[in-house]
Amino acid sequence: MAGAGRPGGKRAPGGTGKVSTQVRAGGEPEVSDSLRCFGEVVKAFRRRAGLTQEEFAALVHYSAPTVSSIELGRRFPPPTFIQRAETVLDAFGAIEGAARHLSRQPGLASWFAQWALLEAEAISLHTYECRLVPGLLQTEAYARAVTLNVPPLPDENRLEERVTARLDRQELLSTHRKPPSAFSFIVEQAVLERHTGGESVTRELLDRLLEMAERHWNIELQLMPLRQPVHAGLDGPLQLLETPDHQWFAYSEGQKNGRLITAPEEISVLQQRYAKLRSQALTPEDSLGLLRRMRGAL
């Protein structure tokens, strides 16, 4: 459950065990050696093809500033950029090969790393969760409780790494980002009724959810009631995001694995399901009312 609540601790494939990619306060990944290296590979093949950044950007259907950021190692390349760059530049597999060695953020499971970096630049993010409160909305106490609930138990250093990574991601919610991102969360009421971590943890969690929903204009929170005979989310949790270049990606997750979804036809299906979930969940106003009643009952 790397995305929503329990980041794992796998090392990046082919790596040395040291991870250099970090996330700035604004949610943008710090420049790492692997990102710089990937950018240099792209730049070398672009120049070999005799293309300016603007000409190359038009061919891969990304903006020139995006190409520049990727070549400078300041931005994680989206999967479609990697695929198009490989084809347009006839790179003999070098660009796709370099992409496989991009480093990840400490504390995040290896299968979640690429989604987390796309998430850091998304202009909109849609999350449906039926297992636990999404990581972007968790309190530190809830994050610890979730991590310690699922075997195998981490040692103290790994626990701190996972919790820190989860809390750092919450900088994405800031309205100070330019432009600020829009967030939609649909969470099953049953997740909150579980009282993970006990009543004191649940009280703090409900207070945070109320604060997020009441004070953050860029966050929409809806609860799926306990009784909902018609439910579009029976296949499990899902996430959708839109990049600054208006590319859409999706992510689905199970135990010890996750899948980044790039196929337009699959994303279309998940968008239809999420739209249906929005209509089936309580309205944001009714969800706030339910949260207040749950908080008052503790």
Side-chain angles (χ1 to χ4, degrees), residues 203-277:
R203 278 194 294 268
E204 183 186 24
L205 176 65
L206 292 175
D207 286 341
R208 172 170 172 77
L209 294 178
L210 284 166
E211 178 189 4
M212 292 291 101
E214 290 173 338
R215 300 185 182 180
H216 290 247
W217 56 264
N218 62 326
I219 296 175
E220 182 179 83
L221 175 61
Q222 294 178 258
L223 297 184
M224 184 68 74
L226 291 175
R227 290 194 176 187
Q228 179 52 269
V230 181
H231 197 310
L234 298 180
D235 276 359
L238 68 91
Q239 296 188 66
L240 294 157
L241 66 74
E242 181 184 9
T243 71
D245 298 298
H246 306 295
Q247 299 285 322
W248 281 89
F249 297 94
Y251 180 76
S252 66
E253 187 174 74
Q255 296 203 22
K256 303 299 291 179
N257 65 78
R259 186 167 74 98
L260 179 67
I261 300 169
T262 61
E265 61 273 17
E266 292 188 61
I267 292 172
S268 175
V269 169
L270 295 179
Q271 286 174 324
Q272 292 174 51
R273 291 181 183 178
Y274 196 83
K276 195 70 174 177
L277 283 166

Side-chain angles (χ1 to χ4, degrees), residues 16-298:
T16 62
K18 295 182 179 180
V19 184
S20 54
T21 301
Q22 302 290 332
V23 174
R24 297 192 184 112
E28 184 180 348
E30 290 279 8
V31 176
S32 71
D33 289 342
S34 65
L35 285 172
R36 287 194 191 96
C37 182
F38 178 84
E40 288 295 332
V41 170
V42 172
K43 181 165 62 176
F45 276 97
R46 174 179 61 77
R47 288 177 172 175
R48 169 181 172 270
L51 298 172
T52 65
Q53 286 186 341
E54 290 75 14
E55 291 168 337
F56 176 55
L59 292 173
V60 294
H61 306 294
Y62 280 87
S63 67
T66 295
V67 170
S68 177
S69 293
I70 291 172
E71 290 189 355
L72 290 171
R74 293 177 178 170
R75 180 171 178 176
F76 196 91
T80 49
F81 175 89
I82 296 167
Q83 296 161 4
R84 292 169 186 169
E86 178 68 43
T87 301
V88 167
L89 299 177
D90 191 20
F92 314 108
I95 291 176
E96 291 180 338
R100 286 195 290 271
H101 298 283
L102 292 172
S103 59
R104 63 184 182 87
Q105 182 183 348
L108 297 181
S110 56
W111 60 81
F112 184 68
Q114 193 168 17
W115 176 261
L117 287 162
L118 287 170
E119 181 185 67
E121 64 179 22
I123 61 173
S124 66
L125 181 69
H126 309 274
T127 301
Y128 164 66
E129 186 53 74
C130 57
R131 306 163 303 169
L132 69 171
V133 172
L136 290 175
L137 299 177
Q138 292 179 11
T139 62
E140 181 176 348
Y142 183 87
R144 290 180 184 278
V146 168
T147 303
L148 292 173
N149 262 270
V150 184
L153 298 180
D155 59 32
E156 185 175 348
N157 289 337
R158 186 61 57 82
L159 172 63
E160 293 302 322
E161 183 183 81
R162 293 178 183 178
V163 171
T164 298
R166 193 170 313 136
L167 297 179
D168 283 349
R169 287 176 55 229
Q170 294 178 0
E171 293 291 340
L172 301 177
L173 301 173
S174 172
T175 56
H176 299 298
R177 298 179 68 200
K178 301 298 182 184
S181 300
F183 296 88
S184 168
F185 297 97
I186 301 173
V187 182
E188 293 286 339
Q189 178 184 347
V191 168
L192 301 175
E193 298 283 7
R194 191 175 297 139
H195 289 196
T196 300
E199 289 197 357
S200 62
V201 171
T202 303
R203 278 194 294 268
E204 183 186 24
L205 176 65
L206 292 175
D207 286 341
R208 172 170 172 77
L209 294 178
L210 284 166
E211 178 189 4
M212 292 291 101
E214 290 173 338
R215 300 185 182 180
H216 290 247
W217 56 264
N218 62 326
I219 296 175
E220 182 179 83
L221 175 61
Q222 294 178 258
L223 297 184
M224 184 68 74
L226 291 175
R227 290 194 176 187
Q228 179 52 269
V230 181
H231 197 310
L234 298 180
D235 276 359
L238 68 91
Q239 296 188 66
L240 294 157
L241 66 74
E242 181 184 9
T243 71
D245 298 298
H246 306 295
Q247 299 285 322
W248 281 89
F249 297 94
Y251 180 76
S252 66
E253 187 174 74
Q255 296 203 22
K256 303 299 291 179
N257 65 78
R259 186 167 74 98
L260 179 67
I261 300 169
T262 61
E265 61 273 17
E266 292 188 61
I267 292 172
S268 175
V269 169
L270 295 179
Q271 286 174 324
Q272 292 174 51
R273 291 181 183 178
Y274 196 83
K276 195 70 174 177
L277 283 166
R278 269 183 154 167
S279 70
Q280 294 167 343
L282 298 178
T283 66
E285 293 76 16
D286 289 343
S287 297
L288 267 175
L290 177 55
L291 284 172
R292 293 188 186 109
R293 293 193 296 274
M294 294 173 69
R295 177 62 177 89
L298 288 175

